[in-house]
Amino acid sequence: MNYLPDVFSFFSFNLGREFFAEIQLNSYLTLYLSIISIIVSAIIAISLFRFERQQKRREKEQQQKQNKEMVFFFFERAITQAFNSQQEIFWNSFDFVDISDNIFSRINSIKSLMNNEQFMLLNKIIDKLKNTYELERDDNYPVVRPAVDELMELITIPVYSTFQYHLKQSKSVWDLSNKDTIELYNILAPDDKAKIYSKDKILNKDGNVILETENELFRVFDSDGHKICEAKIFDFEGTLIYEGEFENHQRNGQGVEYLYNRIKTKEGTRQDGELVDGIIYNVLIWEDKSLFADQLCFLADEIYSFSSPESYDGLYVCSFSVNNGKRHVIDNSIKPAELAIENFKMEQDLFDN
């Protein structure tokens, strides 16, 4: 279609001139005018077609730009809000950003801006943000913080989730963002937003170095500038929750997990973060040896949720041995929950004193 005007030009001027040189113009004036009219109509039609196509392209680009900026608005605000919630040691509620289903259709409309991995990551991040908002909205506090922890593991450098207590003083979530999240930020950001880049040093609010990176290796420091042993993980209150071996930023090899007051919950060998051989201590079970809930519930975690001795009727406490990733109840470890709770409280009283 791009060459039609040239073809018409050739016929109207070259061929037309030779043709009408051989005939009398008056005899074929009507025909000649008709041909000219057809040529002009075709040129106008082509021009209109091009204009409409350009107009649709501009509208599509404008819509894509609006969708991109809308996704970025939620992406930036929601991640920042989640990060700010991690800065608070204690919180019973937090105003997380509401992510509507409409955002997912907008993400789909800007898919061409990202490769497949980035598209999947963005969907996963927004989905976790949406889930966090819904949990908070429903006052499901016990699982809100773990949900935020999962989000932080997804969007930040690996050691952030490992050393939460020491790195939570960081000034911005973008200081801690991993390479994939930074790339998403730069793709979605409006033209007037400055790009962000990975940092080799992260400072806390007092200006002290808390993290250094070098060729994917991480060195973590406490507030006094001392390097923290990378074989220990602390929660937000500074309580030791894991001590053991690491590989590829995961718990790999021998290690021990704790609750508060150094209460041991798991020990043994891990593979890609999962316990594959070892022991799990003091888990609540029913008389038929089924779990108290859908997941492992440790005596120390649940003990204060029982209001009276009657509330733990039929409950027992046991330990599991783990072999090749499979759990087996250790028979001689089974004892009634009532007796286990009394012994636990006595031990804690001695520890506190």
Side-chain angles (χ1 to χ4, degrees), residues 85-103:
S85 76
Q86 298 287 73
Q87 306 297 85
E88 300 292 331
I89 294 178
F90 302 106
W91 47 271
N92 293 321
S93 62
F94 201 86
D95 187 21
F96 294 105
V97 175
D98 182 10
I99 305 291
S100 66
D101 290 333
N102 175 260
I103 288 296

Side-chain angles (χ1 to χ4, degrees), residues 275-277 322-327:
L275 185 69
V276 292
D277 287 288
V322 181
N323 304 104
N324 294 322
K326 294 183 178 180
R327 294 193 303 260

Side-chain angles (χ1 to χ4, degrees), residues 37 338 342:
S37 176
E338 182 177 4
E342 286 181 9

Side-chain angles (χ1 to χ4, degrees), residues 68-69 71-73 75-77 79-80 114 118 121-122 125 155 172-175 177-197:
K68 186 184 82 164
E69 292 182 358
V71 172
F72 176 79
F73 172 76
F75 176 76
E76 184 183 42
R77 262 194 78 208
I79 286 179
T80 300
M114 300 167 277
Q118 291 167 337
L121 176 61
L122 179 58
I125 291 172
I155 68 172
S172 165
V173 65
W174 308 113
D175 290 343
S177 297
N178 58 34
K179 180 174 176 287
D180 295 331
T181 307
I182 288 174
E183 286 179 354
L184 277 179
Y185 177 100
N186 291 334
I187 289 171
L188 298 172
D191 296 337
D192 59 351
K193 277 275 187 179
K195 286 190 174 185
I196 59 175
Y197 301 92

